[in-house]
Amino acid sequence: MIRDKILEIIEDAGEKPYWRLLNKKEYLTEIKKKVLEEAKELNQAKTKKETISEMVDIQELIDVLSLKLGLKKARVKKLQRMKNKKRGGFEKKLFLMKTETKPGK
């Protein structure tokens, strides 16, 4: 999956791109794959600028996915608040190392 202007950029560089349009099912699948690709790049980012750039890419993909699923930003925010209330957020910097079963459980 590529950004909309990449074909022009390739052609302007004197190369010939070979491409096709994705159907709706493929599109959703490829958006999810692209989120993983961008998340890997985010994990490898070394600078603040690189980190922000990858965050922007991921947010754009999430926005597209939300739009295609008919999920409005207000609904996403509401679902985030509900999940945060139930399970908490990520602000406390907690890291789970392992769990053990308590005796008698």
Side-chain angles (χ1 to χ4, degrees), residues 22-36:
L22 300 171
N23 64 40
K24 184 178 179 179
K25 185 177 179 182
E26 291 173 319
Y27 184 55
L28 292 175
T29 298
E30 292 303 319
I31 289 172
K32 292 175 189 177
K33 287 181 187 177
K34 192 71 172 178
V35 169
L36 290 175

Side-chain angles (χ1 to χ4, degrees), residues 6 25 39 41 68 75 85:
I6 296 298
K25 185 177 179 182
E41 291 175 13
K68 295 303 171 189
R75 178 73 175 141
K85 186 175 180 180

Side-chain angles (χ1 to χ4, degrees), residues 81-93:
R81 284 191 302 273
M82 289 169 54
K83 191 165 197 173
N84 193 284
K85 186 175 180 180
K86 183 177 180 180
R87 300 181 63 98
F90 296 97
E91 294 180 21
K92 293 182 180 179
K93 304 176 191 169

